[in-house]
Amino acid sequence: MMNIAVAQSGGPTCAINASLVGVFRESLKEPSIDAIFGSINGIEGIIENHLVDLKSMLLTNEDIELLKQTPSTVLGSCRYKLPDWRENEDVYKKIVSTLKQRNIGAFFYIGGNDSMDTVNKLSEYFATIDLDVKIIGIPKTIDNDLCITDHTPGFGSAAKYVATTMHEITRDSTVYSMPSVTVVEVMGRNAGWLTASSAVLHAIGETAPHLIYVPEADFSLENFLKDIRQEMSKHKAVIVAVSEGIEVPEGVQSGVVDNFGHKYLSGIGKYLEDVIRHEIGCKVRSVELNVMQRCSSHLASKTDIEESESIGAEGVKCALSGQSGKVMVFRRISDMPYTVVIEHAEAYEIANNEKKLPKEYINSAGNNIRNFALPYFLPLIQGELSPMMSQGIPKHFAIHESVLK
Ligand code: F6P
């Protein structure tokens, strides 16, 4: 018999708990697995031996179902970068000590490309010291920027939220007779996937978003203002989707970086609002979707949540088949009918890499997304869950804040 541990890392999504549920449910079925530990705050919990017994937390099927539709990371998260073990082995020794003390034979790390760096480094280290602990990465990120996998758990729900909110903003912004511009800022770091996904509105006959700016296309204020003026000549209310990661003049972003050197991005929408007000002088608003786009589980994509559970479960099967240092990935077989299979890839191929939006998805002016891209996005946002409600508010599964740091 062995125990296993699971942890969540990086930016939250609506689906990261569904992957935890996948790991949990599959492990329950496996007679060789005894305790299922949850590590608090990602790898930090393993380093500090701060683990919780998930079997004593998730007591009923209702608990599990509720967790599956709860946004964010129930176990907390971290943005912790492991050092190179050849330069600093101390932290690795602490990790090994926890794993041995808790008799952990497999560790599942649910995270994005930075977290896959942890999977890669640990699997390399375990091989070097001949430690038989399987380590498997389960992908997640609303940014959809992981290599090899067709898409990432969490992206579909975020895309559904972004497109739906943009749709609602479109209705709101057309009520007055005066011309207006609304700039909607979307997350995604250096990749434009999430911003581009707002183009799914074109599939239901909307002309909005009229302009879509992603980091993969060159951006200049001069062309931006030209584009706005041109769209204002055609539409009373112009809706613009702009990625948080587009190139902007020095000083617009705070300059603060995380442990992986990623800039905290926010504020481009507000900046462009001010530019439009100053240069064009029309009614203008900016909307920063901010964390809502990654935690609005009331409109999660059923496809995303179900797939996220499945990929967690497949991770357990992969570890039990003897694999380690792998990341679970989706391979799309077809758009219509939408079919994917779950496979695994090497963690070193995914760690710290970014998959950008394909250039052929972007129009030649660099200010919108071609309809050609829509069959990629549309299957990922299909289906809805029925949120469990309490007093008219969606219920969440949460562990006591005293357990989290
Ligand atoms: O990587 C996911 C993400 O949500 C990005 O889209 C965003 O730029 C970043 O995380 C925000 O980081 P934080 O979780 O620190 O707010």
Side-chain angles (χ1 to χ4, degrees), residues 117-128:
D117 175 66
T118 303
V119 171
N120 186 38
K121 284 177 173 155
L122 286 179
S123 83
E124 240 185 62
Y125 182 70
F126 295 167
T128 310

Side-chain angles (χ1 to χ4, degrees), residues 164-373:
T164 304
T165 304
M166 207 82 90
H167 200 198
E168 291 164 347
I169 289 172
T170 304
R171 293 287 78 74
D172 184 280
S173 63
T174 45
V175 296
Y176 301 116
S177 55
M178 73 179 85
S180 71
V181 178
T182 307
V183 180
V184 184
E185 177 184 327
V186 183
M187 279 182 168
R189 281 215 179 113
N190 309 318
W193 293 98
L194 192 53
T195 309
S197 72
S198 61
V200 296
L201 287 188
H202 301 160
I204 56 164
E206 287 290 351
T207 51
H210 305 103
L211 295 164
I212 302 178
Y213 297 97
V214 292
E216 289 82 355
D218 293 335
F219 183 82
S220 81
L221 275 183
E222 197 192 332
N223 287 340
F224 173 75
L225 288 166
K226 227 187 269 169
D227 293 345
I228 299 277
R229 285 193 174 100
Q230 198 181 358
E231 291 305 313
M232 286 184 81
S233 70
K234 295 189 266 177
H235 308 282
K236 182 179 67 167
V238 174
I239 310 292
V240 185
V242 60
S243 166
E244 63 175 6
I246 64 164
E247 196 93 10
V248 283
E250 199 67 19
V252 172
Q253 308 286 6
S254 68
V256 177
V257 293
D258 70 12
N259 285 337
F260 288 85
H262 303 303
K263 287 187 198 143
Y264 282 104
L265 301 170
S266 138
I268 176 75
K270 184 76 197 148
Y271 167 74
L272 293 175
E273 176 194 324
D274 291 343
V275 170
I276 295 168
R277 183 171 298 111
H278 189 254
E279 296 295 326
I280 300 180
C282 62
K283 176 174 162 56
V284 54
R285 273 186 196 281
S286 60
V287 179
E288 186 179 338
L289 296 182
N290 210 303
V291 298
M292 284 89 82
Q293 62 206 295
R294 64 186 195 189
C295 64
S296 294
S297 61
H298 58 280
L299 199 65
S301 150
K302 188 166 190 251
T303 301
D304 181 32
I305 300 299
E306 298 299 346
E307 283 185 340
S308 301
E309 178 175 1
S310 304
I311 204 165
E314 289 299 319
V316 174
K317 290 186 200 159
C318 184
L320 292 178
S321 74
Q323 301 283 354
S324 189
K326 311 289 176 194
V327 179
M328 307 313 293
V329 293
F330 292 120
R331 182 161 64 82
R332 190 181 298 212
I333 307 292
S334 75
D335 294 330
M336 230 169 58
Y338 172 62
T339 320
V340 284
V341 290
I342 299 175
E343 298 177 340
H344 57 258
E346 300 298 331
Y348 63 78
E349 292 182 89
I350 293 182
N352 304 313
N353 278 327
E354 275 174 340
K355 183 176 75 182
K356 298 290 185 77
L357 188 72
K359 288 270 186 235
E360 60 269 25
Y361 282 12
I362 307 168
N363 69 355
S364 55
N367 63 12
N368 216 318
I369 298 300
R370 293 197 165 110
N371 284 347
F372 157 76

Side-chain angles (χ1 to χ4, degrees), residues 95-97 99-100 104 122-123 125-134 324:
I95 290 171
V96 170
S97 155
L99 296 175
K100 284 187 174 163
I104 291 166
L122 286 179
S123 83
Y125 182 70
F126 295 167
T128 310
I129 62 165
D130 215 8
L131 179 72
D132 186 20
V133 174
K134 310 292 186 233
S324 189

